[in-house]
Amino acid sequence: MDLVSGYKGVVGLMFGNENSTSNEDRFGVVGLMFGNENSTSNEDSYVERLLDCISNGKLADDRRNAMAELQSVVAESHAAQMAFGEMGFPVLLGVLRDRDDVEMVRGALETLVSALTPIAHAKLPANEVQPALMNADLLSREGQSISLLLSLLGEDDFYIRYYTLQLLTALLTNSPIRLQEAILTIPQGITRLMDMLMDREVIRNEALLLLTYLTREAEEIQKILVFEGAFEKIFSIIKEEGGSEGGVVVQDSLELLNNLLRNNASNQVLLRETIGFDSLISILKLRGTTYSFTQQKTINLLSALETISLLLNGGLETDPSSKSNRLTNKTVLVQRNVLDHLLMLGVESQWASVAVRCAAFQCIGDLIYGHRQNLDVFASKSLGDEREVEPALNSILRIILRTSSMQEFIAADYIFKSFCEQNNDGQKMLASTLIPQPMSMTNARFEEDVNMSFGSMLLHGLAMSEHDGDLETSCRAASVLSHVMKDNIQCKEKVLQINLESSMPSLGSPEPLLHRMVKYLALASSKKGKDGKSTTPRNSYFQPIILKLLVTWLCDCPSAVESFLDSRPHLTYLIELISNGETTVCARGLAAILLGECAIYNKSSESGKDAFAIVDAISQKVGLTSYFLKLDEMQKSFLFSSEKPAQPRKPLTRSNTNSMTEMEDTEENEATDINRNDDHPMLASMFDSQFVNFIQKLEAGIRDSIVKIYSQPKSNVSVVPAELEQRKDENDRDYIKRLKIFMEKQCSEIQDLLNRNATLAEDLANMGGVGSSHTEPRPGGGSERVQIETLRRDLHEASQRLELLKTENTNIQSEASSYKNLAEKMETDLKSLSDAYNSLEEANYQLEMEVRALKSGGATPSPDIEKIKAEAREEAQKESEGELGDLLVCLGQEQTKVEKLSARLLELGEDVDALLEGKNIYVHAFSKKLLKLDKHHQKRI
C-alpha cells in the first residue's frame, strides 16, 4: 500500500466516512504531513473538517482522534494556526464548557496552548502577522473566556489544571494587560491561582511561573496576592526546595517575591511586620565548608540580594512613606545581622562570582548611606580569623587596590562613598590614620600590608606608581581619598600636610602629596611603552579620576590652591592639558574646572599667583572663548549631558540570568561597545548625579567669578598721571579745581571701560553653548552690575544731598519759629505801650476836666497848673517818640530778615506764604496799631 492510500483510512476515520477517497483530502493530509504548505486553501479546508468532526462527530473516538490531529497540525504549521484562529475558538471553548469528556477537555486545552505558542523551527517574514500573537489576542477578546479558564482550575483532573495553567501563561505572555484586567474583574480569580501553589509539585511550579508573569506590572494584583498570604507560601516553597542550594523553583519564588516588593512600600511594611526578614536573611547564609557556587546557586543568591536592595530603596520616591519605610528597613536589617552575611559574600567568599560580590557591596553601601546608627555598626565590623583580624574597611580597601575586576572596584568604591557622605566624624577618623610609612614599607607588596592601618595602606597605594608605575592602583586609591576629603575642610588641610618620600631620597626633600598627584596626572598622558607608543588608551579613566580628586580637594580650600600654585609648572601643565586635543573631552573639561578653582578660591595677594594672574593666563594662553568652549563641550558629553538619577538594577528574570552571572566575561566587551566621546564606560558609574550637579554649580560660579574679576580693576596703581602734579604758577584753589575736573573725567572713563569690559566678559562666558543653559541671560551679569553700582552711587549722593537739604529746612523752620515768637513778644510790648498811652490819655482828660471846671468857676488857671500841664505834655511826647522810633527800627530789621528767609525757602521749594501767614498777620496788625497811635498822638499834640 502506498503512502497516500495509507492515509485514506485515517482521514476517513477522522471525518466519520471511511469511503471518502477524495483526492483533495488525500492531498491535504499528505501535504500537511510532509510540511508542504503551498496550498493554504487545502489547509483551511483540512482544519475546518477537523473542527466539524469535533463538533458533529457521532463517535467519541472520532472526536478524540480529530482533536489529537488538530493539536498536531496546529503545533507544526503557521497556516494551520492562522486557520484555527479564524474558526476554531468557538468550537473548543464549547468543549470546555460541556466538560462531558475529560479526554476531550484535555485535548482542547492542549490544542489551545499549541495555537498560542510560536513555532520555533519556522520563522515568518517580519512584515507578516504572527499567528500565535493573533490567536492570543482573539482568545483574550472572547467573552467569558478567562472566567471559563479559571473555573477549570477547580477540576479534579491533574492534566486539566496543568494545561489550563500553561494556557493562561501563554495568554499572559502575549496579551498581559488584557488578561490582568480580566482576572481583576473575576470574583475569586486570584484566590484560585493562589490555591494552585499548594497543589502537586508540577502544578505548583506552573502556578508560580504564571504568578511571576502576572505580577510584573500589576500593582493591584500584587496587593491582592499579599493579602492572600503570598509571603508565607513563597518562603515555604523556598525552604522546601533548599534555600540558595535549590533549583530554578527557588529562583522563580524569589522573582515573584521581588515583583511583590518592587516600588511597593505597603507590601514591604506587611512583610516586615508579619513574617519579618529572618527567612530572607537565612537564604544568604552559606552552608558547608567548601562553599561551592554552582550557576543556579549564584542566580539564587543574586535574586535574594536583589530583594535586599529593593527593601533598601523603600519604594517609589513619589510615595510620601517611602523615606521612613527605607530607614526602618535599614535599621531592622542591620539589627538582624545582615551585614555579617553581606560581608561574608562580598569580602570573605572570594570564590563567589564577581556578580555576587558586587551585589553584596552594593547592598552594604545602600545599608549605611545616610544612616548614622548603621554607619557606626559598620565602622566597628572586623573580619578575618583570630590571628589576623582587621577592620572591614581595611579589607574592602585592599580589594579595591588588588582586584582585577573593574566592576568589583566600582562596587567596593561605592561603599566608601556611602560611608563618607555627610559623615564628618567618619572622614576625620579615616584621615587621622593617614601617616606616611618609611621607604621600606612603601616599597612593600600588598601581601605584606595586612598589619597596616587604613591610612597607611591608602598612602601605600597612592605611592605605588613612584617605584613601579602602577598608575591603576594609584588611581583607585585617589578615588577613595576623594571620598575622604569631600566637603570636609579639616580633612583637606590634614591631607595637604602629608609629604611623601621619593623612591630615591637623594634626589630631594619629601614631596607634598598634592604635587605627587599632579605628577601622576602628567604621567598618565605621557607614559610610553618600549615601542615608543602610548601605553594608556584614549578611553583610559586615569586622568579623569585624578582630576576628580584634585577638583574635590581644591574646592573651597584656598590653602590647597596656594599649594597647587607653589609650583609654577603646575599651572603650565594644566593649561597645556586644556589645550591638548589628544585628551578626552572629560579630561579637558575637568582640567578647565580645576584651573577655574585656582581663580575663584584664590586668596593670594602675591603677584603672579593671585586671581588676576590666573585669569590673565587663561586669556593669554588659552583664550577665554576657547576656555569656555571646553566647559560647554564637557557639559554636552555623555557623562554630563543630564542629571543622572540613581539607576535601579535591572530586574533579574529567567531571560537575563546568564548576562547577570557572567559579568567577568562582559567587562571587556562593554569597554568597546559603550565608547561615547572616548570616555571610559566605568566613568558613568564613578561620576554619579551628585558629582555632575557639583560640577555644574562649580562651573556657574567660575563663569560669574571671571566676569566679576574683569569688571573690577586692580587696587594698586603703578603710574601716576602728570595731571596730578601741581604747577609752579598755580595757586591751591585753581589746583584743587583742576584736580576735581580731572577726577570727574577719569571716573567717567573708568566707568565706561568697566561697563564695556564686563559686557565683553559676559558675552565670552555665554558663548559656545547654543541651546544650553549657559546661553541664557543671567540676572546680575557684568554690565548690569556696573550699571547697578553706578545707580547705587548716584542714589547715595542724592540721599546725602537730600539729608543736607532736610537739615537746612529744619534750621530755617526753627529760625522762622523764633521770629514768630519775637513778633508775638513785640505785639505784647506794643499792647503794654498802648495801655500806657491810654492811662496817660485818661490822666490828661481828668486834668482837662479840672481846668474846665476852674474856668467855668470864673477862676483863671494858675501859672503852676499851666506849667505842669506843659511839662507833662512835653515829657509824654518825648517818651512816645522814643519808644515809637525803637519799634520802627526793630520792625525794619525783622522785615529784612523775613525777606532773606523767604528767598531761601523759595529756592528749597517751600511754601513761604503758608509759613509766614501768621507772622504777616501780626506785623500787619502791629503796623496798623502803630499808625493809629501815631496819628492819635499827633492829633493830641
Side-chain angles (χ1 to χ4, degrees):
M1 183 178 64
D2 57 15
L3 187 59
V4 175
S5 60
Y7 280 103
K8 179 181 68 173
V10 176
V11 176
L13 182 63
M14 290 180 180
F15 292 105
N17 184 6
E18 296 183 3
N19 298 323
S20 175
T21 57
S22 170
N23 291 333
E24 182 181 5
D25 295 341
R26 290 198 302 270
F27 176 80
V29 175
V30 173
L32 192 59
M33 293 297 180
F34 286 95
N36 183 3
E37 302 184 23
N38 295 328
S39 179
T40 305
S41 61
N42 291 332
E43 292 174 350
D44 292 348
S45 176
Y46 184 58
V47 171
E48 184 179 4
R49 289 173 180 272
L50 291 175
L51 291 172
D52 181 69
C53 180
I54 293 171
S55 300
N56 303 316
K58 301 299 182 181
L59 299 178
D61 289 339
D62 292 345
R63 294 195 299 272
R64 293 168 187 167
N65 291 335
M67 183 70 76
E69 182 64 19
L70 180 63
Q71 188 276 329
S72 177
V73 297
V74 169
E76 295 294 331
S77 170
H78 281 118
Q81 283 186 340
M82 187 71 73
F84 176 82
E86 295 176 356
M87 62 189 82
F89 286 114
V91 175
L92 296 195
L93 290 177
V95 174
L96 297 182
R97 291 190 185 94
D98 294 339
R99 305 182 194 178
D100 296 333
D101 191 337
V102 174
E103 189 173 346
M104 285 292 291
V105 174
R106 292 178 186 172
L109 290 171
E110 191 174 3
T111 303
L112 289 172
V113 171
S114 300
L116 270 61
T117 304
I119 299 174
H121 62 79
K123 294 184 179 180
L124 290 176
N127 57 350
E128 291 191 15
V129 178
Q130 298 290 333
L133 296 178
M134 183 194 71
N135 291 341
D137 184 69
L138 291 174
L139 179 59
S140 62
R141 291 177 184 272
E142 286 285 340
Q144 303 299 319
S145 60
I146 307 301
S147 178
L148 176 61
L149 293 176
L150 289 177
S151 66
L152 291 173
L153 294 177
E155 293 293 322
D156 295 333
D157 186 77
F158 168 81
Y159 288 101
I160 291 178
R161 299 197 305 275
Y162 177 73
Y163 289 135
T164 300
L165 289 173
Q166 282 193 328
L167 180 57
L168 288 172
T169 302
L171 192 61
L172 183 63
T173 304
N174 297 324
S175 300
I177 297 178
R178 190 173 290 123
L179 181 62
Q180 292 170 358
E181 294 174 351
I183 289 178
L184 286 174
T185 60
I186 298 172
Q188 302 298 318
I190 300 296
T191 304
R192 292 176 182 176
L193 292 176
M194 287 294 297
D195 291 340
M196 297 297 100
L197 292 179
M198 308 306 294
D199 208 321
R200 295 166 57 180
E201 183 176 348
V202 178
I203 299 293
R204 180 201 67 187
N205 296 344
E206 287 294 330
L208 190 62
L209 193 61
L210 172 62
L211 291 173
T212 300
Y213 285 118
L214 193 62
T215 55
R216 283 182 179 173
E217 300 293 339
E219 183 177 355
E220 292 298 324
I221 295 179
Q222 294 172 4
K223 293 180 179 180
I224 296 174
L225 283 177
V226 170
F227 282 105
E228 291 287 342
F231 289 144
E232 292 83 353
K233 294 178 180 179
I234 288 173
F235 284 110
S236 175
I237 294 172
I238 292 175
K239 183 177 180 180
E240 182 180 346
E241 293 292 323
S244 61
E245 304 289 342
V248 71
V249 176
V250 175
Q251 176 187 347
D252 292 337
S253 300
L254 289 171
E255 184 178 349
L256 174 58
L257 176 64
N258 293 339
N259 290 345
L260 298 177
L261 298 177
R262 186 174 290 107
N263 298 328
N264 197 319
S266 60
N267 284 354
Q268 294 181 13
V269 173
L270 287 174
L271 173 63
R272 184 178 67 242
E273 296 181 353
T274 53
I275 65 175
F277 295 152
D278 289 343
S279 299
L280 173 63
I281 295 175
S282 66
I283 302 174
L284 302 176
K285 185 177 180 181
L286 298 180
R287 300 172 179 82
T289 57
T290 57
Y291 299 151
S292 60
F293 283 82
T294 62
Q295 183 178 14
Q296 187 59 56
K297 181 178 179 179
T298 299
I299 295 173
N300 293 342
L301 288 173
L302 286 174
S303 300
L305 290 171
E306 183 182 4
T307 308
I308 299 292
S309 180
L310 293 174
L311 294 173
L312 297 178
N313 289 333
L316 289 173
E317 292 296 333
T318 56
D319 188 350
S321 63
S322 174
K323 183 176 180 180
S324 60
N325 181 55
R326 178 167 58 247
L327 292 176
T328 305
N329 287 345
K330 290 181 179 181
T331 303
V332 175
L333 284 170
V334 172
Q335 289 174 351
R336 308 311 300 173
N337 297 323
V338 72
L339 271 176
D340 295 336
H341 300 288
L342 294 175
L343 288 171
M344 173 64 73
L345 285 173
V347 180
E348 297 188 279
S349 299
Q350 289 302 303
W351 46 86
S353 68
V354 173
V356 172
R357 298 201 301 269
C358 291
F361 286 151
Q362 184 74 29
C363 290
I364 293 174
D366 292 339
L367 268 173
I368 64 177
Y369 185 84
H371 197 290
R372 174 59 55 184
Q373 292 80 7
N374 290 359
L375 283 170
D376 296 337
V377 173
F378 177 69
S380 64
K381 290 292 182 181
S382 298
L383 301 176
D385 53 27
E386 296 180 357
R387 293 172 298 178
E388 296 181 353
V389 176
E390 66 175 354
L393 285 169
N394 290 28
S395 301
I396 297 172
L397 176 61
R398 184 178 293 105
I399 291 175
I400 290 177
L401 301 178
R402 286 184 182 183
T403 182
S404 59
S405 169
M406 181 66 64
Q407 296 297 328
E408 188 172 14
F409 155 59
I410 295 173
D413 182 79
Y414 175 69
I415 294 180
F416 282 100
K417 176 185 180 299
S418 301
F419 181 81
C420 296
E421 189 70 27
Q422 299 179 354
N423 183 15
N424 291 333
D425 294 337
Q427 289 174 305
K428 293 176 185 178
M429 182 266 292
L430 296 179
S432 64
T433 63
L434 293 170
I435 303 174
Q437 296 294 310
M439 284 303 300
S440 58
M441 290 298 295
T442 302
N443 293 329
R445 302 303 303 173
F446 278 123
E447 288 74 9
E448 304 173 19
D449 65 0
V450 177
N451 297 322
M452 285 186 181
S453 66
F454 173 87
S456 299
M457 192 188 310
L458 184 61
L459 293 177
H460 183 199
L462 289 169
M464 286 291 289
S465 299
E466 182 66 15
H467 60 84
D468 66 356
D470 186 7
L471 276 178
E472 185 170 6
T473 302
S474 298
C475 177
R476 294 179 178 183
S479 179
V480 176
L481 183 60
S482 66
H483 300 317
V484 175
M485 293 191 296
K486 181 184 177 184
D487 299 331
N488 195 314
I489 299 297
Q490 295 179 343
C491 290
K492 293 178 181 180
E493 298 286 351
K494 167 70 176 177
V495 180
L496 196 62
Q497 300 172 3
I498 297 175
N499 294 324
L500 298 179
E501 293 185 5
S502 174
S503 57
M504 300 180 65
S506 60
L507 294 179
S509 59
E511 183 180 19
L513 178 59
L514 178 62
H515 292 196
R516 179 71 63 85
M517 298 314 300
V518 180
K519 178 180 177 181
Y520 291 163
L521 182 63
L523 184 63
S525 59
S526 62
K527 187 176 179 182
K528 303 293 181 180
K530 295 181 180 180
D531 55 357
K533 297 181 180 180
S534 175
T535 58
T536 304
R538 289 195 64 198
N539 62 355
S540 171
Y541 63 92
F542 296 163
Q543 282 187 333
I545 294 300
I546 297 176
L547 283 168
K548 178 184 178 183
L549 168 66
L550 295 175
V551 167
T552 304
W553 199 340
L554 267 61
C555 178
D556 201 21
C557 187
S559 56
V561 173
E562 182 180 0
S563 176
F564 180 84
L565 296 176
D566 280 343
S567 179
R568 186 66 182 177
H570 289 175
L571 184 60
T572 303
Y573 169 70
L574 204 56
I575 292 174
E576 291 177 354
L577 184 59
I578 296 173
S579 305
N580 186 2
E582 294 298 321
T583 57
T584 64
V585 173
C586 178
R588 291 196 299 269
L590 290 177
I593 292 291
L594 184 62
L595 185 58
E597 285 182 321
C598 293
I600 66 176
Y601 299 119
N602 194 319
K603 304 300 181 183
S604 175
S605 58
E606 184 178 351
S607 178
K609 293 184 179 180
D610 57 2
F612 292 98
I614 302 300
V615 176
D616 288 341
I618 295 174
S619 178
Q620 296 174 10
K621 302 294 181 63
V622 181
L624 287 177
T625 302
S626 178
Y627 174 78
F628 289 124
L629 281 176
K630 298 297 186 296
L631 298 178
D632 290 330
E633 290 174 358
M634 179 183 66
Q635 294 295 347
K636 294 177 182 178
S637 66
F638 166 70
L639 299 175
F640 293 87
S641 58
S642 62
E643 295 184 6
K644 298 174 293 186
Q647 295 293 335
R649 291 181 58 190
K650 189 176 181 181
L652 187 64
T653 62
R654 282 193 176 188
S655 59
N656 63 6
T657 51
N658 291 333
S659 61
M660 294 292 289
T661 57
E662 296 175 359
M663 186 178 294
E664 303 96 328
D665 300 331
T666 59
E667 286 179 8
E668 297 300 326
N669 295 332
E670 290 179 359
T672 56
D673 293 341
I674 309 176
N675 187 13
R676 306 173 190 264
N677 297 326
D678 290 336
D679 288 320
H680 199 283
M682 63 85 65
L683 293 177
S685 300
M686 302 298 290
F687 291 0
D688 55 7
S689 59
Q690 291 182 346
F691 182 72
V692 171
N693 295 337
F694 164 70
I695 292 296
Q696 290 176 346
K697 293 178 181 178
L698 193 56
E699 181 198 353
I702 291 172
R703 291 177 183 269
D704 290 339
S705 296
I706 290 179
V707 171
K708 185 177 180 180
I709 292 172
Y710 266 77
S711 303
Q712 295 179 352
K714 292 186 178 181
S715 58
N716 57 331
V717 180
S718 58
V719 180
V720 179
E723 288 83 352
L724 297 180
E725 299 293 337
Q726 186 175 7
R727 298 168 186 172
K728 293 182 179 180
D729 56 348
E730 189 177 26
N731 56 33
D732 292 342
R733 185 170 184 177
D734 294 337
Y735 176 57
I736 293 173
K737 185 177 180 180
R738 184 170 59 82
L739 283 181
K740 183 178 179 182
I741 296 174
F742 175 78
M743 293 301 295
E744 290 177 352
K745 181 181 178 181
Q746 290 292 313
C747 288
S748 178
E749 293 178 355
I750 289 173
Q751 203 63 38
D752 183 59
L753 288 174
L754 286 175
N755 196 358
R756 286 184 293 168
N757 200 12
T759 303
L760 176 61
E762 185 178 8
D763 292 341
L764 288 173
N766 287 333
M767 69 186 304
V770 179
S772 68
S773 59
H774 303 303
T775 60
E776 297 294 332
R778 297 192 305 272
S783 60
E784 294 179 1
R785 278 200 297 268
V786 173
Q787 294 175 3
I788 291 173
E789 288 297 331
T790 303
L791 293 175
R792 185 180 290 114
R793 186 178 62 253
D794 294 342
L795 179 61
H796 181 66
E797 293 177 358
S799 299
Q800 290 181 338
R801 183 173 179 80
L802 181 61
E803 290 296 331
L804 181 62
L805 293 177
K806 286 182 178 179
T807 303
E808 293 181 1
N809 187 19
T810 303
N811 294 335
I812 291 173
Q813 289 181 353
S814 176
E815 192 174 354
S817 178
S818 65
Y819 287 143
K820 181 179 178 181
N821 295 333
L822 182 59
E824 292 175 354
K825 181 181 179 183
M826 291 173 64
E827 184 179 6
T828 303
D829 294 341
L830 182 60
K831 184 178 180 182
S832 300
L833 182 61
S834 177
D835 293 341
Y837 272 109
N838 291 333
S839 299
L840 183 62
E841 286 290 333
E842 186 177 355
N844 190 22
Y845 178 74
Q846 292 294 335
L847 290 174
E848 288 181 355
M849 292 301 295
E850 291 178 1
V851 170
R852 287 177 183 177
L854 291 174
K855 285 182 178 182
S856 62
T860 58
S862 65
D864 293 336
I865 294 175
E866 290 295 333
K867 184 179 179 181
I868 291 172
K869 186 177 180 180
E871 289 177 355
R873 187 180 294 116
E874 182 181 358
E875 183 178 356
Q877 183 178 0
K878 289 181 180 180
E879 183 177 358
S880 63
E881 288 178 354
E883 292 183 359
L884 183 61
D886 292 339
L887 289 174
L888 291 175
V889 170
C890 291
L891 181 61
Q893 292 176 350
E894 294 302 322
Q895 186 66 29
T896 302
K897 290 182 180 180
V898 169
E899 291 176 357
K900 291 182 180 180
L901 290 174
S902 299
R904 183 58 176 165
L905 288 171
L906 286 174
E907 292 178 2
L908 296 176
E910 296 290 340
D911 190 354
V912 179
D913 295 335
L915 290 174
L916 297 181
E917 181 178 357
K919 183 177 180 180
N920 288 336
I921 294 174
Y922 292 133
V923 172
H924 183 65
F926 174 71
S927 299
K928 288 177 65 178
K929 185 69 174 177
L930 190 62
L931 213 57
K932 181 179 179 182
L933 289 175
D934 183 51
K935 288 180 179 180
H936 182 69
H937 177 69
Q938 292 296 333
K939 180 179 178 182
R940 295 303 300 170
I941 293 175

